[in-house]
Amino acid sequence: MRPIIYFICLLTIFSCAEKAEKPIENTLEKAKRIHEEVITIDTHNDINIKNFTDSVNYTQRLETQVNLPKMKDGGLDVSWLIVYTGQDSLTEIGYQNAKTNAMQKFEAIHKLTETIAPNDISLALNSSDVRKIIASGKKVAMIGVENAYPMGTDLSEFKRYHDLGARYISLAHNGHSQFSDSNTGEADGIWLNNGLSELGKQAVNEMNRLGIMIDISHPSKEAIKQMLALSKAPIIASHSSARALCDHSRNLDDELLLKLKENGGVVQTVAFSSYLNTEKHNARSEYMKAIYVTVADSLGIEWYERSQFSTLSDEQKEAFMENYPKVMQIGKELAKNRPDAPEAVNVKDFVDHIDYMVKLMGIDHVGISSDFDGGGGIEGWSDASETLNVTLELVERGYTQKQIAKLWGENLLRVLDEVQEVSQELSKA
């Protein structure tokens, strides 16, 4: 018996020693490990086609908030690159001009993944693609469409967009479209469709049929309610936050959040300053106005207030968005040395919205987005290189790795899977 007892004692000693030698993680170490192990997805990053050329592109550390070096620095696995076109007149000429713009952005994304940097980033069309690409060591691009306006009145365009890789589409942006009213109607109480037009209702059915996620971040509340009632598949808000915490028409109120939960969808909390904390945003913005104007003037750049944005030409908008990160970064650096500068909206304010929506809807219906290169970015998550800070804040608030994995990507991938399953079922009917 003695040899057996001796052997057991040795096993116990080695086991205890092994446990004793295992280091205890501090909060930052834990956040870094979790961040490395989960799939991190940002569902809304705007693009400028000027950054998708042979000489200037995302393989370089550009002034853009998103590019490959910054994604690698911040451990951001998946970037949804956005085919965005602004709202114009509901005419064939308007549709055609917008269509040209949209096709250029599709071409830019495909050029990045197929020609410029195929060894660094690949386009994913489903959750299986996402997992395979990440496992291969590459970054992932996915395509979202912000505003269906360029499609005109031809529903067959939805299939064309799907074939080009689009996996979510919003039926409106800042202005009522031929498909849907926009949230901007709250400002003047003028509506075009009283929610969805008949064409918009058909578009919901078409997206269900094709397996495209319906994005409700910009349409009006009435349009959103109609989409939720009509859709046979879960729906997403690609970049919105909680209206209960910040009363902006771009955010979703409790009624819509609960309907989205019932629908099985997900709301991707957005790191957009004015959608997170109105009081802090307004105080900081008012203070920063003069600084940004001074910086822009010193660089010889035209600078506009966001309230002027709708009056700008497409060329002026593109130039502004191209220069926006540079001016913002310089301005923020200047403000750091000014003791009178009001506090900026930060990662804590962002996660406050996540906390609120998780408590209201449950952990399975909340996700994360930035709206980088489209006006998004907050203190602590000002570009893709700072993505770890979001995970760190979640860890500090007690979220588990499983919960963080759901917030960072698993919820969104689950919805994508379900939308594509509905498409397959409808094709059999």
Side-chain angles (χ1 to χ4, degrees), residues 125-142:
L125 303 177
N126 51 53
S127 65
S128 178
D129 287 348
V130 170
R131 299 183 197 282
K132 287 176 183 176
I133 294 166
I134 291 173
S136 75
K138 295 196 290 186
K139 297 301 182 184
V140 180
M142 300 192 80

Side-chain angles (χ1 to χ4, degrees), residues 24-167:
I24 298 173
E25 291 179 310
N26 61 36
T27 303
L28 178 58
E29 289 168 340
K30 182 178 180 180
K32 286 182 177 178
R33 176 181 57 78
I34 291 173
H35 196 70
E36 176 67 25
E37 292 175 358
V38 305
I39 294 175
T40 51
I41 298 176
D42 181 350
T43 48
H44 204 89
N45 300 149
D46 281 283
I47 63 170
N48 185 327
I49 59 173
K50 292 179 181 178
N51 296 318
F52 291 76
T53 69
D54 294 335
S55 57
V56 179
N57 58 66
Y58 274 23
T59 64
Q60 302 159 346
R61 192 176 294 276
L62 306 176
E63 295 290 342
T64 55
Q65 290 169 289
V66 176
N67 51 59
L68 284 165
K70 290 179 182 178
M71 288 179 71
K72 291 173 184 175
D73 288 348
L76 179 61
D77 296 318
V78 184
S79 172
W80 282 76
L81 302 177
I82 303 306
V83 173
Y84 158 75
T85 46
Q87 190 71 22
D88 204 334
S89 59
L90 305 183
T91 63
E92 287 304 320
I93 293 176
Y95 300 147
Q96 189 57 50
N97 290 338
K99 183 182 294 186
T100 299
N101 177 268
M103 289 304 112
Q104 288 174 337
K105 291 188 175 180
F106 273 115
E107 288 168 10
I109 297 167
H110 280 275
K111 183 175 181 179
L112 173 68
T113 59
E114 296 165 13
T115 305
I116 295 172
N119 296 323
D120 300 304
I121 187 168
S122 291
L123 181 66
L125 303 177
N126 51 53
S127 65
S128 178
D129 287 348
V130 170
R131 299 183 197 282
K132 287 176 183 176
I133 294 166
I134 291 173
S136 75
K138 295 196 290 186
K139 297 301 182 184
V140 180
M142 300 192 80
I143 300 177
V145 175
E146 189 171 32
N147 204 3
Y149 168 74
M151 298 185 187
T153 56
D154 183 358
L155 288 174
S156 70
E157 285 291 288
F158 283 90
K159 184 178 187 306
R160 182 185 186 195
Y161 277 43
H162 175 271
D163 292 346
L164 287 169
R167 288 301 179 267

Side-chain angles (χ1 to χ4, degrees), residues 155 158-159 171 179 196-214 226-233 235 419 422-424 426-427:
L155 288 174
F158 283 90
K159 184 178 187 306
L171 291 180
F179 298 102
L196 294 177
S197 66
E198 286 304 313
L199 187 66
K201 293 173 184 177
Q202 293 174 44
V204 169
N205 293 331
E206 185 65 0
M207 284 191 278
N208 281 174
R209 186 185 73 81
L210 292 166
I212 299 172
M213 294 188 293
I214 298 166
Q226 290 173 19
M227 282 186 268
L228 287 165
L230 284 169
S231 180
K232 300 176 179 66
I235 281 174
V419 168
V422 167
S423 171
Q424 291 172 2
L426 291 174
S427 68

